[in-house]
Amino acid sequence: INRRHALSSISPTKMIVSKGEKIIGKHEKIDYNAHLKLMSLNRKLAGHSRIEHPLRSIITVLGTLIVSLIVMFLFGAFVYHWYRAVWDNVTLFGIIIGAMIFVAACAHILHIAGLTNYAIPINFIAALLAFLFIDWLPFASALVCIVMIGIGFSGNAVYMISAIISASVIAFGTQKVHMRNTLYIPILYGAIAGTVTVMIFNYALFTPIKDTMSYIAQFAIASLFSPFLAYLVLQPAERMSKLASRFTFLDLADINSMLLQKLAVEAPGTFHHSIMVGNMAAAAAESIGASAMLARVGGYYHDIGKLVNPCLLYTSDAADEL
């Protein structure tokens, strides 16, 4: 009871600014109190603008909607011309749009909770699509999502630049991961790159240290958490899209898997032949910029059907060797 009474006695007003009072002068450094006064003035002017000019708010909403539609149209044209297979597959394209909607929903919830744009898990879409696709599609999707957040949630340049840098590191770095236990490396690098960018730009703009630390903490947590969240929903996304992620290929390429071990025991000649074919196919694919992991898995399993009749297989392998 005493605690509630003490809280109710605290005034929500930190200071009072009189009419005509000077807040900050030209070439003067903005300290914490001046920053609070300027932010309060900005909110007051914005409130008066909405009350006195309701038409301006309507125009702002319509303008935001039109620009957002233009961005989505350009993204659709990009997918149509460069990733036609994704465009023609409703499920695949739906996963991309669904990931964007999820990030937008998180942004709404976080803003209601009083957090800033820095807490938005933008790397969710970069990581999820990097698990499923290669090339530029994961980064392009994340870039579109960042632009949409900037349009709809008044994202500042510092946030957008930091998010783009972090998303690019994760989108392209994750595509080079060849073992599950190294997945944390591009995620960590992406979080560090984005967080350092947030710190440098806010320091250069003389943002109060308290706000800067809050931005850094929010961005770091979101950058580290969102890729692992994408990893958790990867398996349902694979089943829906009927695509195999690089981690599925890693499991299939494990020569200690049950099926390949069965091939090694029942048809050792074919097992050795398949491993050699897989290695050669991976080297050839890597030399031309194709998916080396897909080629390797295809080589490992191209003769797996011979397990149906391994007795005939021994005869065939012996004849090949002769």
Side-chain angles (χ1 to χ4, degrees), residues 24-37:
I24 193 73
K26 188 177 182 180
H27 302 305
E28 292 181 1
K29 186 176 180 179
I30 300 177
D31 57 13
Y32 182 68
N33 290 334
H35 174 72
L36 290 179
K37 292 179 181 179

Side-chain angles (χ1 to χ4, degrees), residues 27 31 106 192 215 248 289 317:
H27 302 305
D31 57 13
C106 289
I192 292 175
Y215 299 156
T248 299
D317 288 343

Side-chain angles (χ1 to χ4, degrees), residues 116-123 158-167 190-198 213-226:
T116 64
N117 289 338
Y118 293 96
I120 298 175
I122 191 65
N123 287 331
V158 175
Y159 163 73
M160 296 182 70
I161 294 173
S162 304
I164 289 172
I165 291 175
S166 181
I192 292 175
T195 303
V196 170
T197 306
V198 172
M213 295 305 296
S214 175
Y215 299 156
I216 290 174
Q218 293 178 45
F219 191 89
I221 293 173
S223 299
L224 291 172
F225 171 74
S226 53

Side-chain angles (χ1 to χ4, degrees), residues 251-299:
D251 292 337
L252 292 173
D254 184 6
I255 60 174
N256 293 317
S257 64
M258 184 180 299
L259 190 58
L260 288 180
Q261 283 300 301
K262 183 178 180 181
L263 182 67
V265 172
E266 299 184 11
T270 297
F271 173 77
H272 180 266
H273 162 73
S274 298
I275 297 300
M276 294 299 296
V277 170
N279 293 336
M280 289 189 293
E286 188 172 358
S287 65
I288 62 174
S291 175
M293 186 62 66
L294 177 60
R296 184 184 302 278
V297 171

Side-chain angles (χ1 to χ4, degrees), residues 14 37 44 73 79 92-93 96 109 122 125 127 142 150 157 163 172 191 207 236 251 277 284 293 296 321:
K14 292 185 177 181
K37 292 179 181 179
K44 190 70 174 178
F73 173 79
V79 176
L92 291 181
F93 197 68
I96 298 175
I109 295 172
I122 191 65
I125 186 171
F172 293 113
T207 304
D251 292 337
V277 170
M293 186 62 66
R296 184 184 302 278
E321 293 176 0

Side-chain angles (χ1 to χ4, degrees), residues 223-240:
S223 299
L224 291 172
F225 171 74
S226 53
F228 290 106
L229 178 62
Y231 183 76
L232 291 178
V233 302
L234 177 61
Q235 189 172 4
E238 284 185 278
R239 292 180 178 178
M240 291 175 58

Side-chain angles (χ1 to χ4, degrees), residues 132-264:
L132 295 172
F133 304 102
I134 59 173
D135 206 30
W136 286 82
L137 183 58
F139 174 69
S141 303
L143 180 62
V144 169
C145 201
I146 293 170
V147 173
M148 296 292 288
I149 290 173
I151 295 171
F153 297 94
S154 302
N156 56 38
V158 175
Y159 163 73
M160 296 182 70
I161 294 173
S162 304
I164 289 172
I165 291 175
S166 181
S168 63
V169 173
I170 290 179
F172 293 113
T174 305
Q175 297 181 28
K176 298 180 181 180
V177 173
H178 296 297
M179 292 188 296
R180 290 180 187 268
N181 58 1
T182 61
L183 175 62
Y184 72 94
I185 296 177
I187 295 175
L188 183 61
Y189 285 170
I192 292 175
T195 303
V196 170
T197 306
V198 172
M199 180 180 63
I200 293 175
F201 273 91
N202 279 283
Y203 179 78
L205 294 173
F206 300 104
T207 304
I209 188 64
K210 182 179 179 181
D211 293 338
T212 300
M213 295 305 296
S214 175
Y215 299 156
I216 290 174
Q218 293 178 45
F219 191 89
I221 293 173
S223 299
L224 291 172
F225 171 74
S226 53
F228 290 106
L229 178 62
Y231 183 76
L232 291 178
V233 302
L234 177 61
Q235 189 172 4
E238 284 185 278
R239 292 180 178 178
M240 291 175 58
S241 63
K242 296 182 180 180
L243 283 179
S245 69
R246 64 186 63 260
F247 299 109
T248 299
F249 286 141
L250 287 174
D251 292 337
L252 292 173
D254 184 6
I255 60 174
N256 293 317
S257 64
M258 184 180 299
L259 190 58
L260 288 180
Q261 283 300 301
K262 183 178 180 181
L263 182 67

